[in-house]
Amino acid sequence: YFKNSKGDKVFCVCKCIEKGSNADNQVYRMQKYSGMPGFPVMYGYEEVNGKYIIGMQYYSLGTLEDLIGNFIRLQMAPSDYLVRHFVLGTAKILRGLLKNGECHNDIKLDNIIVGDGPDFEPILIDFEHMKHVGEPVAYSSPVFSPPEFFT
C-alpha cells in the first residue's frame, strides 16, 4: 500500500530501482506523465538504502504479453478488433510522446499494461530507456531502432 495525494492508503504495485542518473530519469518521467491518458498514476516514491521504491497504480489484467499468452494457452487468436484497439491505442500514446520530443525506446508487450475499466485502454510503463530527443525526428542507434520510429 502507498499513500495517495489525499493521504489515503491505496493498493498499488511497487517498483524498486537502484538510485542513479537512470533511476532519476525514470522517476522524473513517471511524475511528468502520471495519470495522463495511457500512463499509470504514480502515488509517490521513497528512497530506501540507495534504492527508489515507487508506488504506481495497480492494473489487475496484466500486460499485453499476459493477454496474448492466455490466447495461446486457449489455442485461440485475438480478434481483429482487439489487435487494432491495442495497436492504435499504443500508437496514439507514442505519438503524444514524440510530439513532446520524447522517445520511449523500449516498446514491447511486457511494457504495455491492459488498463482496467470498460475500455481496456493500453497503459505504457517502464521509462528506463526513455530519452528526450527534442524535435520529433527519426531516432535510433546502430543496434536498436525503437518500434515507435514508424509512428
Side-chain angles (χ1 to χ4, degrees):
Y1 289 92
F2 219 90
K3 288 186 179 180
N4 64 12
S5 59
K6 298 177 187 175
D8 301 325
K9 282 186 177 180
V10 290
F11 187 70
C12 65
V13 62
C14 289
K15 180 175 184 172
C16 179
I17 53 177
E18 294 286 332
K19 194 169 186 280
S21 62
N22 199 23
D24 294 337
N25 178 52
Q26 286 187 69
V27 170
Y28 168 75
R29 294 294 188 306
M30 291 173 77
Q31 288 174 321
K32 180 177 180 178
Y33 292 107
S34 177
M36 294 177 77
F39 298 92
V41 172
M42 178 180 160
Y43 296 121
Y45 67 97
E46 298 287 333
E47 185 180 338
V48 179
N49 298 326
K51 296 179 182 182
Y52 287 128
I53 309 296
I54 304 167
M56 298 177 292
Q57 185 174 357
Y58 173 76
Y59 295 95
S60 61
L61 299 175
T63 66
L64 273 182
E65 186 166 323
D66 298 330
L67 180 66
I68 290 171
N70 289 334
F71 277 105
I72 291 170
R73 278 188 288 287
L74 295 170
Q75 297 181 345
M76 297 173 58
S79 69
D80 291 347
Y81 171 80
L82 189 65
V83 172
R84 263 192 318 276
H85 173 74
F86 283 106
V87 168
L88 294 176
T90 301
K92 183 177 178 182
I93 297 166
L94 296 175
R95 186 177 322 116
L97 283 176
L98 287 172
K99 283 182 181 178
N100 288 320
E102 306 262 50
C103 188
H104 186 275
N105 281 329
D106 196 19
I107 295 300
K108 58 186 177 186
L109 297 175
D110 230 13
N111 286 340
I112 302 169
I113 297 285
V114 179
D116 294 333
D119 297 330
F120 305 107
E121 293 298 325
I123 305 292
L124 195 58
I125 61 170
D126 195 351
F127 305 110
E128 182 178 358
H129 301 290
M130 186 180 275
K131 301 242 185 285
H132 184 76
V133 294
E135 293 293 316
V137 295
Y139 172 77
S140 67
S141 72
V143 177
F144 179 76
S145 290
E148 59 262 42
F149 175 82
F150 300 104
T151 63

